[in-house]
Amino acid sequence: MIDNQPKKTKAYIAGVNLNDPNFDYYMTELANLTEADNMEVVGQSYQNAESIVAGTYFGVGKINEIRTMAQGLKAKVLILNDELTPVQIRNLEKLTKMRVIDRTELILEIFASRARTKQAKLQVQLARLQYELPRLHPSENNLDQQRGGGFANRGAGESKLEMNRRTIGKQISAIKKELKAVASQEEIKSARRNQSRIPKVALVGYTNAGKSTTMNGLLREFSKEGSDKQVFVKDMLFATLDTSVRRIDLKDNFSFILSDTVGFISKLPHNLVESFKATLQETKDADLLINVVDASDPNMVQMIRTTQSVLDEIGVKGIPMITAYNKTDKTDRNYPQIEGNDILYSAIDPKSIKLLADLITKRVFSNYEKFELTLPLSAGKELAYLHENAQVLSEDYEEGGVHIKANIAPDDQGRFEKYLVNNR
């Protein structure tokens, strides 16, 4: 049988450990990112040090060792665990005779290959150009020639360098302007959702923890159009960069808006976080966050810290959170079960999804109050509002009007006070 699959580029990964207790976790993550960028990790090295070598990242002895090991393994690319300076990258390429990619460039490459919507593509393009701008150098090739993987533009001569800088500066300005227009359209959609009293729940967490699978599980159980509304799922880092928003209609007329946001990872480049702030607006507007965690991953605790760190960076504070330990079916823990405000579950298990829905219901509808109302038959607008924004338990048409029992959100209770039965 002929294998038509293109051969993956062989990559060697390496890093400097500055006495960081999470270093092994970061290197495991780097290997996963490399595989996600369709490369094969054939070996790795690290150096324990007190500080980074300013000009070359590693010491000379370690560079020679890496070059020998990588050449023996036929590696073509050297991938490093930190964001490097332009000087460090150029010097390492000269000394190792390999293409050098730092952690930031690697993540940007992955994001570039995953972007699907216009907004995501613009956000990634902006972050790439912002990364690229300080890395221009007089000795590099023309602007329209790209490095092996498609990043740093290389110009020839000082005047060419300045022209390249101006060109990229103009591109950055143009993209920011276009992004602003796209973002304003998204803000209008978000504002419409925010006008509704339906609670908003956002799935957050480390990339590939199972957020999209969780959303699909809730859609299957609680949406008549579940199969048509499913979101893209694949077992890989950053399978999707786009925020998906769906309405979930639970039993007893409870509903909430659920958003599935881009996944997080350690050392997420600051430019990317900045670029994706508009996309992550759904998180900031949420009434409840569900931090989806891969319970089967040995680095689970670090992943929880990573998520909290990114949430802090984008300014998400004070929003109630459920920690949802997914993939418990791959552990020896009993599931589904609720532990305090948290849940152990499997996103592919219907019983787990129903228990998660029960927990969400308790958290977001706990301050709703039950009211008995009589609306005049002429109050069609108010009746429609109740159906859209409250939990209508019963509705009976009588001579005196429409008799309704409903659970109503605190902010709406004053609106219906005059319709209370017995003027409670």
Side-chain angles (χ1 to χ4, degrees):
M1 183 176 176
I2 299 173
D3 185 7
N4 293 321
Q5 289 287 340
K7 286 187 177 180
K8 291 185 177 182
T9 301
K10 292 184 177 181
Y12 195 91
I13 65 173
V16 175
N17 183 7
L18 303 176
N19 199 27
D20 187 341
N22 294 320
F23 180 76
D24 288 343
Y25 164 59
Y26 294 146
M27 288 297 289
T28 299
E29 211 174 50
L30 188 68
N32 291 335
L33 286 166
T34 303
E35 297 286 350
D37 200 29
N38 203 33
M39 289 184 276
E40 178 189 0
V41 177
V42 293
Q44 63 174 290
S45 296
Y46 68 92
Q47 181 174 30
N48 294 316
E50 294 297 318
S51 61
I52 300 291
V53 178
T56 54
Y57 184 64
F58 296 110
V60 176
K62 179 57 68 173
I63 293 172
N64 290 333
E65 176 192 309
I66 288 171
R67 183 180 64 234
T68 302
M69 294 286 290
Q71 285 176 351
L73 294 166
K74 295 183 169 51
K76 302 296 182 184
V77 181
L78 174 62
I79 299 178
L80 303 175
N81 190 42
D82 294 291
E83 181 172 322
L84 273 63
T85 67
V87 171
Q88 287 169 337
I89 291 176
R90 283 194 293 273
N91 288 339
L92 280 172
E93 287 186 333
K94 288 176 186 175
L95 293 168
T96 63
K97 310 299 182 189
M98 301 170 69
R99 180 189 172 203
V100 174
I101 302 176
D102 66 10
R103 188 184 180 98
T104 298
E105 184 174 348
L106 179 65
I107 293 173
L108 287 170
E109 281 194 359
I110 295 168
F111 270 55
S113 67
R114 302 284 195 269
R116 293 291 178 267
T117 65
K118 182 177 181 180
Q119 187 179 29
K121 289 177 181 177
L122 287 170
Q123 287 165 330
V124 174
Q125 195 177 352
L126 176 61
R128 289 179 68 166
L129 288 170
Q130 289 170 330
Y131 170 86
E132 185 179 303
L133 187 58
R135 285 163 173 77
L136 293 176
H137 190 264
S139 65
E140 295 167 347
N141 299 328
N142 292 332
L143 188 65
D144 59 355
Q145 291 180 322
Q146 295 182 318
R147 274 178 90 194
F151 272 91
N153 298 316
R154 318 238 163 163
E158 192 64 29
S159 59
K160 188 69 174 178
L161 173 66
E162 290 305 318
M163 190 179 78
N164 286 353
R165 282 178 176 157
R166 283 197 304 275
T167 300
I168 290 181
K170 287 178 182 177
Q171 287 176 332
I172 288 173
S173 297
I175 291 170
K176 282 183 175 179
K177 187 176 180 180
E178 195 171 356
L179 254 180
K180 194 172 181 181
V182 174
S184 66
Q185 294 170 6
E186 293 301 317
E187 284 170 12
I188 291 170
K189 294 178 187 175
S190 181
R192 285 174 185 157
R193 288 192 289 269
N194 289 338
Q195 286 172 1
S196 168
R197 297 298 186 192
I198 299 177
K200 292 169 284 296
V201 179
L203 296 163
V204 299
Y206 193 89
T207 181
N208 211 30
K211 296 183 298 301
S212 297
T213 307
T214 298
M215 174 177 264
N216 286 342
L218 287 164
L219 286 168
R220 269 194 307 272
E221 293 298 322
F222 300 106
S223 174
K224 294 175 183 176
E225 302 174 307
S227 59
D228 296 330
K229 296 289 185 179
Q230 298 277 297
V231 295
F232 179 72
V233 172
K234 192 170 182 180
D235 184 16
M236 65 181 182
L237 302 186
F238 303 113
T240 178
L241 306 181
D242 306 310
T243 297
S244 301
V245 181
R246 302 287 189 271
R247 175 171 169 147
I248 306 294
D249 296 310
L250 304 173
K251 60 183 180 181
D252 300 326
N253 295 325
F254 278 125
S255 299
F256 62 89
I257 302 297
L258 183 66
S259 58
D260 173 22
T261 60
V262 62
F264 303 147
I265 201 163
S266 301
K267 301 184 184 181
L268 197 60
H270 180 70
N271 285 340
L272 267 180
V273 174
E274 281 296 311
S275 298
F276 275 79
K277 273 187 175 176
T279 300
L280 294 167
Q281 186 64 38
E282 298 292 338
T283 305
K284 298 178 76 171
D285 292 338
D287 299 295
L288 177 69
L289 301 178
I290 301 177
N291 180 10
V292 180
V293 178
D294 182 350
S296 68
D297 196 297
N299 297 307
M300 177 180 69
V301 174
Q302 289 97 323
M303 290 174 173
I304 294 172
R305 288 180 187 147
T306 293
T307 297
Q308 191 56 58
S309 174
V310 177
L311 290 174
D312 289 343
E313 188 171 353
I314 63 175
V316 176
K317 297 184 185 296
I319 300 175
M321 180 186 289
I322 292 170
T323 302
Y325 294 94
N326 186 28
K327 306 186 186 182
T328 314
D329 52 314
K330 297 181 180 179
T331 73
D332 56 4
R333 303 288 301 276
N334 291 324
Y335 76 96
Q337 62 171 313
I338 292 173
E339 292 185 349
N341 291 324
D342 303 333
I343 181 171
L344 278 67
Y345 80 114
S346 168
I348 58 175
D349 169 43
K351 287 183 180 178
S352 292
I353 291 297
K354 288 172 183 173
L355 189 63
L356 175 62
D358 289 343
L359 184 56
I360 293 171
T361 302
K362 287 176 184 174
R363 293 296 298 276
V364 298
F365 297 105
S366 61
N367 57 358
Y368 276 50
E369 273 192 68
K370 187 175 180 179
F371 287 82
E372 196 170 341
L373 311 169
T374 299
L375 271 65
L377 294 173
S378 59
K381 187 176 179 181
E382 297 295 87
L383 182 59
Y385 184 91
L386 274 175
H387 277 288
E388 184 66 27
N389 297 285
Q391 181 203 18
V392 177
L393 303 172
S394 66
E395 180 180 351
D396 297 308
Y397 284 79
E398 302 171 350
E399 277 189 32
V402 186
H403 188 76
I404 290 176
K405 291 179 182 177
N407 286 322
I408 301 176
D411 292 344
D412 282 335
Q413 289 166 10
R415 176 172 182 161
F416 293 94
E417 191 173 358
K418 62 184 177 183
Y419 302 118
L420 287 174
V421 173
N422 300 325
N423 201 24
R424 179 181 107 170

